[in-house]
Amino acid sequence: MDTRPNIIHYDALTGTTEVSEMSDEEYAQHLEDVANAPIIDPSPTDV
Amino acid sequence: MPVPDFSPGEVLTAAAMDSIGLWKISSTTFNNTASATIDNVFSATYTNYKLVVQLYGSSNSNILKLTFLNSSGTERVTNYYGAAWGVDYATGPTTLNSTGAQTTYIPLGYPSATSNKQPLVADVLIGNPWASDTRTSSAGPQTGINEGVVFSGGMTNGTYLTGERHRGFRISNTANTGLYGTVVLYGYRD
């Protein structure tokens, strides 16, 4: 993804939902994780 | 006789509402969401809970993680014993797959890639998280056990290995990528 993922915090006591952006550090880790993720073909070619 | 036995136009009493066996507690929509903390949803009102997960992600290598929040709202990140496991049934019942035993979270399975939009679907029973003297366990069927292989599915199960009260939970993923879909929590009336 080239857009920064968000983080949700929901509190049932107050009924509030907060949506915040990833920190720069978390986003850098996210980009590294995505770049290093193995590519796996999800098509059912092994049927 | 229909159950509950309500009449058209009837004003529902607290007792009538309390008799309903399955109650929606929270519903969370993921839209490029890396994690969601769902706090203050477990209570003494219900003993057991049903967690319905429908999520797909941006990386096939992700493991979807379930962790619990203690009575102070702090996420527990150690002391679990859990796995998601099953079969790739395109290649036969002997092709077993597993996330392996995990101790820092309970694996729910592999959310599939954004490109094919095949969500990980899991129906997870969470047993008595509010009790302070018993371990909180979870178990249920799920799809997507084998990292993006579409013909696969199995089970998830796990336990928090110390008896303590949990008031909420967190859904996240090992690759920390944005997920799409919904997570809904219900309470079962005893």
Side-chain angles (χ1 to χ4, degrees), chain A residues 2 9 20 22-23 26 28-29 33-34 37 40 44:
Chain A
D2 55 1
H9 189 282
S20 56
M22 271 184 172
S23 67
E26 288 172 323
Q29 183 64 52
D33 289 339
V34 171
I40 299 169

Side-chain angles (χ1 to χ4, degrees), chain B residues 68 106 124-129 134-139 157-160:
Chain B
F68 297 117
I106 296 171
V124 183
L125 174 66
I126 299 174
N128 208 4
T134 59
R135 298 176 176 182
T136 300
S137 293
S138 66
N157 56 37
T159 297
Y160 186 78

